[in-house]
Amino acid sequence: MNTKNYGINEIFNSPKDKQLNELYPQFEFEKYGIGVEDIKTEAERLLMQGNEAKENKGLFTVKTASRWIEQAKTRPIPKMLFGEFWFEGELCILFADTNLGKSILAVQIGNSISRCEQIVGFKLETPKQPILYFDFELSDKQFENRYSIKFKQHYSFDNNFIRVEINPDAVIPENQTFEGYLNHSLERSITETGAKVLIIDNITYLKNETEKAKDALPLMKHLKALKNKYGLSILALAHTPKRDLSKPITRNDLQGSKMLINFCDSSFSIGESHIDKNLRYLKQIKQRNTEQIYDAEYVCICQIAKPSNFLQFEFLNYGTEREHLIQISESEKSELENSIKELLQAEPGITAYTIAKRLCKDESKFNSFKVKVSRITNRISNSSNT
């Protein structure tokens, strides 16, 4: 190869290189083992860094729409982790009332991803990979019971399924709070396992007061920061308060402030069916990577079953949310409202809870009936005060 000194204009002679032509040093490439393409690549990198510095405006990143699209082209298209309910790179919230099977479904989803085995009825597009399941609900013995036949003939999980629980003997450093040390330990688990998929069961353990906006916001910011820092997909489980089972599920049913819904990428819920105590339905509440498919007119109907040694959701078909809600006729509504009015007039200081206790005909449905009575009582009280 002939030794030759190149001027910068001889290297950068295309129209897109005009910005670089202000530099005119001479380079002896063979002497330093540097090639023409190496110089061009490094110069383009420096130019890009300069552009990025100009685009950062304090809290904001300011770019033309075309540059945003060019940047997005370099990122992979999000793949489904659990059908259209949860995609790669999303912070997703799964919420439901107590004892409806959130943990059962979450373990099933984690197992599916760890083995690269699709759950019937729900697409899986990602390869086999490790997942971290933070279990703040069950003891190891309770977990064993769900995935065995009377503590024998245990289900064989793939080693990619990594279950995590709190170490009761762990000592919290004096200069840290429990929440701070929990977050530190969570991040350490991510870095040391290399897992890109996290399931947190449940989110209230990370922050006890998620019903308040001031507490929910830092929690969601922390999870989003972890997601962005390590390129994670996070499924966080949350509760709903006792709800009126005659009403459709909405984002307002998520326990706590709307801050949780506002800051997550997607969310879906498990609904209880009044048709059969073993039936559940799945409904999309929020989505960004797809259109809303599973709305009130098209929910996924499942049943909880344990055919052998694995407790799971079994997909049955599709249906409407309406058919699984408690149906109340107009005459029943009027009768209940009149009964509540009579009690309020007869006993002005009576509470909604006491009214519900007196009027409830089915103790097994008391919690949802109590919510309904409370709503009617508040409406009657507000109208009488105006």
Side-chain angles (χ1 to χ4, degrees):
M1 181 175 179
N2 293 329
T3 302
K4 180 181 177 181
N5 290 343
Y6 291 88
I8 200 74
N9 284 330
E10 296 176 64
I11 301 172
F12 303 107
N13 49 25
S14 66
K16 73 174 185 177
D17 298 324
K18 288 180 180 179
Q19 296 179 66
L20 304 170
N21 290 336
E22 296 177 3
L23 302 173
Y24 297 101
Q26 300 294 313
F27 295 94
E28 296 179 10
F29 297 131
E30 287 191 344
K31 180 177 179 181
Y32 298 103
I34 301 173
V36 173
E37 290 303 317
D38 294 323
I39 297 294
K40 289 186 72 172
T41 300
E42 178 63 13
E44 288 173 351
R45 186 185 69 81
L46 291 172
L47 273 176
M48 185 174 292
Q49 281 185 348
N51 289 333
E52 288 177 352
K54 292 177 183 178
E55 292 166 348
N56 292 326
K57 314 290 184 186
L59 186 64
F60 304 114
T61 301
V62 181
K63 301 182 185 183
T64 64
S66 296
R67 277 190 57 76
W68 281 115
I69 291 175
E70 286 301 316
Q71 175 181 295
K73 285 180 183 177
T74 65
R75 306 187 193 281
I77 298 172
K79 297 177 180 177
M80 295 182 191
L81 292 166
F82 180 59
E84 289 82 3
F85 290 104
W86 183 29
F87 283 80
E88 273 185 325
E90 287 187 340
L91 169 53
C92 178
I93 293 180
L94 163 60
F95 66 94
D97 201 350
T98 305
N99 295 325
L100 289 190
K102 293 187 298 296
S103 299
I104 296 170
L105 181 59
V107 169
Q108 189 176 359
I109 292 171
N111 181 62
S112 164
I113 295 167
S114 71
R115 306 177 77 97
C116 192
E117 293 179 359
Q118 178 177 306
I119 299 172
V120 175
F122 306 95
K123 294 178 184 176
L124 173 65
E125 297 178 334
T126 59
K128 179 177 179 178
Q129 60 183 301
I131 75 109
L132 280 174
Y133 189 96
F134 291 87
D135 194 344
F136 302 133
E137 291 285 335
L138 301 180
S139 67
D140 57 356
K141 205 64 184 176
Q142 291 168 327
F143 186 80
E144 178 197 9
N145 185 38
R146 287 188 174 186
Y147 303 104
S148 65
I149 301 175
K150 295 182 178 179
F151 300 101
K152 297 179 180 179
Q153 301 178 47
H154 299 79
Y155 178 78
S156 180
F157 283 91
D158 191 281
N159 287 337
N160 274 327
F161 189 102
I162 304 167
R163 182 178 175 272
V164 184
E165 65 175 46
I166 294 289
N167 177 7
D169 299 320
V171 178
I172 301 172
E174 291 183 3
N175 61 339
Q176 281 194 295
T177 63
F178 174 78
E179 287 178 3
Y181 194 52
L182 182 70
N183 291 335
H184 164 77
S185 303
L186 190 149
E187 188 164 358
R188 181 179 172 185
S189 300
I190 294 167
T191 56
E192 293 187 5
T193 62
K196 296 296 182 184
V197 180
L198 271 63
I199 298 176
I200 301 172
D201 185 7
N202 69 68
I203 199 172
T204 53
Y205 202 90
L206 299 183
K207 198 78 175 177
N208 291 328
E209 300 296 328
T210 51
E211 73 274 8
K212 298 176 183 176
K214 68 180 181 65
D215 294 310
L217 181 57
L219 170 61
M220 295 305 290
K221 281 184 175 179
H222 178 70
L223 290 179
K224 291 208 80 166
L226 283 178
K227 185 196 80 166
N228 295 333
K229 183 177 181 180
Y230 297 107
L232 305 176
S233 307
I234 302 175
L235 178 65
L237 278 57
H239 291 306
T240 65
K242 294 299 180 182
R243 52 183 300 276
D244 184 349
L245 298 182
S246 66
K247 301 292 183 182
I249 300 172
T250 71
R251 59 179 56 203
N252 296 329
D253 289 312
L254 174 58
Q255 179 172 308
S257 70
K258 292 182 182 178
M259 202 66 69
L260 295 173
I261 281 287
N262 290 344
F263 272 79
C264 71
D265 300 303
S266 59
S267 178
F268 65 103
S269 183
I270 302 173
E272 182 178 1
S273 173
H274 83 283
I275 299 173
D276 185 324
K277 66 178 182 179
N278 288 319
L279 290 183
R280 305 287 187 268
Y281 64 87
L282 306 183
K283 180 183 180 181
Q284 276 179 309
I285 304 300
K286 180 180 180 181
Q287 60 288 321
R288 282 186 177 162
N289 281 307
T290 180
E291 61 181 335
Q292 186 173 25
I293 297 172
Y294 305 109
D295 58 11
E297 297 303 314
Y298 195 66
V299 296
C300 296
I301 312 301
C302 304
Q303 68 178 359
I304 295 179
K306 191 176 181 181
S308 57
N309 56 3
F310 192 91
L311 190 59
Q312 60 189 282
F313 273 55
E314 291 183 346
F315 173 76
L316 298 176
N317 50 39
Y318 303 102
T320 65
E321 183 177 23
R322 183 172 53 256
E323 63 189 292
H324 294 276
L325 300 176
I326 295 175
Q327 304 299 316
I328 302 177
S329 67
E330 288 301 320
S331 60
E332 289 176 320
K333 289 180 183 177
S334 298
E335 182 182 345
L336 176 59
E337 188 161 336
N338 289 333
S339 297
I340 293 173
K341 283 180 179 178
E342 289 174 3
L343 285 171
L344 287 172
Q345 290 172 355
E347 303 176 48
I350 194 171
T351 65
Y353 181 87
T354 303
I355 293 173
K357 273 292 186 184
R358 291 189 189 178
L359 298 180
C360 184
K361 298 175 182 177
D362 185 347
E363 192 65 30
S364 66
K365 299 176 181 177
F366 175 73
N367 286 320
S368 60
F369 182 74
K370 177 182 64 176
V371 173
K372 189 185 310 176
V373 168
S374 179
R375 190 179 66 252
I376 296 172
T377 302
N378 288 336
R379 189 176 73 246
I380 293 171
S381 298
N382 291 336
S383 61
S384 64
N385 291 331
T386 56

